[in-house]
Amino acid sequence: MENTIAIVMAAGKGTRMNSNKSKLVHQIYGKELVKRAVENARKSGIEEIIAVVGYQKEQVQSVLGDTVQYAYQEQMLGTGHAIMQAKNYLEGKDGKVVVLNGDVPILRPSTIKSLIEKNIERKEAATLLTAIYDNPNGYGRIIRNDGGNIEAIVEEKDATNEQRKIQEINSGIYCFDIQSLLNALDKLTPNNVQGEYYLTDVIKLMNEDGLRTGAVIVEDNTEILGVNDKIQLELLTRVLRTRINTEHMKNGVTIEDMNTTNIYDDVEIGADTIIHPNTIIKSNVKIGEDCEIGPNAYIREGCKLSNKVKVGSFVEIKKAIVGEGTKVPHLSYMGDCEIGTKCNIGCGTITCNYDGLNKSKTIIGDNVFIGSNTNLVAPVTVGNNAFIAAGSTVTEDVPENALAIARQRQINKEGWNLQ
Ligand code: UD1
Ligand code: CA
């Protein structure tokens, strides 16, 4: 989105996490809250992103690195004060600025986009993202006039009893016209119950200047949920789980148990694949059509499964490229490996990919049969159509069509128990 900047507020303390870590670096599905907030802005099409950091800024900055620019808020004097710290990024620009919260991680990029579009279309100085809540306690309330136009936001602590009954709340997410915002920020005062510079007060100031302010009411209330404690962290993980699983089911994936299937971001799954309960599929995984995954499978980053692959119970795979029709049915660890088509990887097969210093690769050809309880000590290659006897510890390459037996012969001591 040209001429649009995002400011992500990420200076706050987050006391209720009861943690030594910044609230903002807590993760949902392996990704920090603040990183999610920034990525949502990026995915909406915004290129220039400013993070306002303060409390535990080193932690936040080590997560965001140079993907954003920074403004520093030394003292927490309110949301308006936070935005003032980013003023030098706004001055002299005439586009739009979207304000986001670092602790609101599952806002849809499409919602940000429509907020900006409405702002432009309706020529508003400020467009608020609002929601209708049955229980609006704790939020700023939206004050509309008789014609329905927005006049102000009143914080709960400053509201009259009558105003507290209003159910339309401020999400804390806004799109502003940059110059109108800068003008209003100059007039902010901390004359309120909390003695803070409220960003919300700019709405009233804009109205006094005869500028237009409006709102977009969010359709899905869960999008604007923030994280203040670990109970909300779990709640948002659940919301995201439902959202992701639903998308996959719409695409034709069968998920037997929505509640115990954890599919991280950026996973592709083909139609007619069945996912059994208690399965975890991490980011950047691609699974083909007609596969069968789980129960109790753990598919880690970087795996690519072709069609008709089976990854069964208590199987962990990592950076594994698995060819069509191959089965890894039970109790295996297959890491850093390439497996061809139509292989059978016996129960308890393990790639020994780590020697304490380095990770090494295991390459397995097509139509390979690996007997149960085999250790493949990497780096090692098994040729097409090879067989490996059960219980082998394979340390040397196995040629095509060969049978490898790498275990001690059995000795039977006749009559041993009769002596
Ligand atoms: C704010 C809004 C309120 C809205 C609510 C939605 C104001 C005055 N009120 O209230 O209308 O309903 O969000 O959640 O804006 N922050 C800073 N620096 C500060 C203060 C806050 O970076 O000096 C950050 C916080 O870390 C947080 C965000 O701004 O990410 C919101 O601050 P918070 O104090 O939670 O505002 P609320 O009182 O919840
Ligand atoms: Ca809040």
Side-chain angles (χ1 to χ4, degrees):
M1 198 95 38
E2 250 178 272
N3 286 335
T4 305
I5 298 173
I7 298 177
V8 178
M9 289 193 279
K13 193 157 179 180
T15 333
R16 281 181 281 160
M17 287 304 239
N18 272 327
S19 169
N20 297 322
K21 282 198 309 192
S22 158
K23 162 166 97 172
L24 297 162
V25 306
H26 280 71
Q27 299 181 337
I28 293 181
Y29 277 168
K31 198 180 279 184
E32 295 82 3
L33 302 179
V34 71
K35 190 169 182 190
R36 286 187 176 276
V38 166
E39 284 189 5
N40 293 337
R42 187 90 60 208
K43 285 182 192 156
S44 81
I46 299 174
E47 281 160 23
E48 190 176 351
I49 301 174
I50 322 295
V52 182
V53 294
Y55 189 73
Q56 292 178 321
K57 59 177 181 290
E58 299 76 16
Q59 292 183 32
V60 175
Q61 288 185 282
S62 79
V63 165
L64 297 180
D66 59 7
T67 62
V68 299
Q69 293 171 283
Y70 294 97
Y72 297 91
Q73 190 188 24
E74 302 301 338
Q75 276 178 296
M76 300 296 112
L77 301 179
T79 49
H81 182 258
I83 299 302
M84 287 176 197
Q85 311 313 304
K87 247 166 122 177
N88 58 321
Y89 291 104
L90 303 175
E91 271 154 2
K93 299 213 171 107
D94 59 10
K96 307 290 178 183
V97 57
V98 172
V99 172
L100 301 170
N101 271 296
D103 60 359
V104 176
I106 60 169
L107 181 66
R108 285 192 171 90
S110 58
T111 301
I112 302 174
K113 222 170 159 180
S114 70
L115 192 67
I116 301 166
E117 281 164 7
K118 285 285 178 239
N119 178 280
I120 293 169
E121 187 186 310
R122 302 192 301 218
K123 298 190 168 59
E124 288 168 346
T127 311
L128 322 174
L129 188 65
T130 67
I132 313 295
Y133 274 8
D134 289 341
N135 175 7
N137 282 349
Y139 290 93
R141 308 295 207 283
I142 305 299
I143 311 295
R144 292 179 183 258
N145 66 18
D146 294 341
N149 292 321
I150 288 170
E151 289 190 323
I153 303 171
V154 177
E155 289 307 292
E156 166 131 328
K157 287 183 178 142
D158 302 285
T160 63
N161 283 338
E162 213 40 47
Q163 287 170 332
R164 284 191 186 143
K165 288 181 192 152
I166 296 171
Q167 287 182 306
E168 186 177 7
I169 62 100
N170 171 31
S171 69
I173 295 153
Y174 323 78
C175 178
F176 295 107
D177 171 68
I178 290 178
Q179 287 309 315
S180 309
L181 176 65
L182 285 171
N183 290 336
L185 283 178
D186 282 341
K187 296 178 202 154
L188 274 191
T189 60
N191 297 330
N192 50 59
V193 172
Q194 302 187 73
E196 288 181 358
Y197 292 91
Y198 290 166
L199 179 59
T200 45
D201 282 349
V202 303
I203 305 304
K204 188 160 175 274
L205 292 167
M206 286 170 171
N207 273 281
E208 285 167 3
D209 277 349
L211 298 172
R212 297 157 75 100
T213 58
V216 170
I217 302 176
V218 73
E219 278 171 38
D220 175 358
N221 281 349
T222 64
E223 281 188 50
I224 60 168
L225 289 171
V227 175
N228 293 307
D229 57 32
K230 294 197 174 167
I231 295 129
Q232 287 168 338
L233 189 68
E234 190 273 346
L235 169 67
L236 265 77
T237 307
R238 213 172 335 138
V239 172
L240 189 62
R241 177 182 306 133
T242 304
R243 196 196 281 180
I244 292 175
N245 287 352
T246 303
E247 247 351 272
H248 287 295
M249 289 191 282
K250 280 186 190 163
N251 291 336
V253 178
T254 301
I255 294 178
E256 282 180 341
D257 183 1
M258 177 78 157
N259 298 317
T260 65
T261 298
N262 290 283
I263 305 174
Y264 285 44
D265 308 77
D266 306 316
V267 172
E268 257 180 70
I269 309 177
D272 294 318
T273 285
I274 298 174
I275 310 214
H276 297 295
N278 291 310
T279 289
I280 300 173
I281 302 173
K282 289 211 163 168
S283 295
N284 301 315
V285 166
K286 218 174 147 180
I287 298 175
E289 297 180 357
D290 252 327
C291 294
E292 196 176 344
I293 312 291
N296 296 295
Y298 183 26
I299 301 190
R300 290 169 55 194
E301 294 83 357
C303 286
K304 274 200 189 113
L305 279 51
S306 301
N307 298 339
K308 298 182 173 26
V309 165
K310 181 178 169 123
V311 174
S313 48
F314 303 102
V315 172
E316 174 174 340
I317 62 174
K318 185 210 77 175
K319 284 191 191 159
I321 299 174
V322 186
E324 185 161 338
T326 284
K327 294 183 167 59
V328 192
H330 2 246
L331 295 159
S332 290
Y333 170 67
M334 302 301 288
D336 302 301
C337 58
E338 283 173 32
I339 312 174
T341 59
K342 296 204 174 86
C343 292
N344 187 77
I345 310 294
C347 178
T349 299
I350 288 171
T351 52
C352 309
N353 59 334
Y354 186 50
D355 62 9
L357 281 177
N358 301 304
K359 299 274 166 71
S360 300
K361 269 182 93 168
T362 301
I363 313 276
I364 299 170
D366 298 333
N367 299 304
V368 170
F369 182 95
I370 298 187
S372 296
N373 199 25
T374 292
N375 302 313
L376 298 160
V377 182
V380 72
T381 299
V382 181
N384 294 336
N385 308 309
F387 270 70
I388 296 176
S392 292
T393 293
V394 177
T395 54
E396 279 161 44
D397 290 354
V398 181
E400 275 191 28
N401 300 306
L403 166 65
I405 308 171
R407 55 165 141 93
Q408 282 201 314
R409 277 191 173 279
Q410 179 171 332
I411 301 167
N412 287 339
K413 298 193 172 176
E414 294 285 343
W416 180 84
N417 200 22
L418 300 173
Q419 286 171 8

